[in-house]
Amino acid sequence: MPRSNLPSAAARSTIADLARSPRIESLGPLGARFVYSLRLIALHDRANRDPVSELAVRLGSVEVAAKALALAQAISSVWPENIHVSRFCCQMLSHDEATIGKLIDSAATCDRAGFEEAIAGLVRPDRHHRLWDAALGLVAAETRAA
């Protein structure tokens, strides 16, 4: 009896989930705010400019801007490939942005298990602590600035 080459229901569901772009509203306030920061950092990077001053104005704090930039650098150093970001005005998230937003939202609620789950299989486990520490640094700076 020949085997069917059709994907399983679970595989079809996963593919359908990947085809749908999540919206920025699906993130918490800190996750969404960092995604916008990440987009701004990418824009400045392409223009070969330092993003700290504009980040500080948009985020309302030099400390928050510095922590956002430090987190972005930590993410880019451990991410398995270039981070894909959407346009600054876009409400749809790239899959990288959705994952990164989940990391920030998990850190904001001190949910280490959710944080680890969001990057399981994507980032090597020995690098998770670096992202966790940088995310907690950003969350602490955001809390102090509020």
Side-chain angles (χ1 to χ4, degrees):
M1 175 180 266
R3 286 183 40 191
S4 174
N5 287 335
L6 296 175
S8 68
R12 286 193 306 272
S13 173
T14 300
I15 292 168
D17 288 344
L18 289 172
R20 279 189 299 272
S21 294
R23 296 185 56 82
I24 199 146
E25 297 87 25
S26 67
L27 298 176
L30 292 183
R33 195 164 138 101
F34 181 72
V35 165
Y36 280 122
S37 298
L38 195 59
R39 291 175 179 181
L40 186 64
I41 291 166
L43 184 66
H44 279 267
D45 190 48
R46 284 186 211 119
N48 255 353
R49 295 186 350 217
D50 183 8
V52 174
S53 61
E54 188 171 347
L55 273 174
V57 169
R58 288 185 181 263
L59 298 174
S61 165
V62 173
E63 181 190 14
V64 174
K67 294 294 184 179
L69 188 57
L71 177 56
Q73 290 169 345
I75 291 168
S76 67
S77 72
V78 302
W79 218 248
E81 59 185 33
N82 290 334
I83 300 167
H84 298 282
V85 295
S86 298
R87 291 187 175 138
F88 194 78
C89 60
C90 187
Q91 295 298 307
M92 305 307 274
L93 297 170
S94 72
H95 292 290
D96 287 337
E97 290 173 327
T99 301
I100 292 166
K102 288 177 191 172
L103 297 179
I104 305 307
D105 289 342
S106 294
T109 59
C110 293
D111 178 11
R112 182 69 187 249
F115 181 92
E116 302 270 341
E117 182 182 320
I119 54 175
L122 180 65
V123 175
R124 291 185 0 207
D126 62 316
R127 296 178 175 181
H128 290 191
H129 71 280
R130 182 172 181 201
L131 291 179
W132 177 252
D133 291 345
L136 287 179
L138 175 65
V139 169
E142 288 274 17
T143 303
R144 285 189 293 274

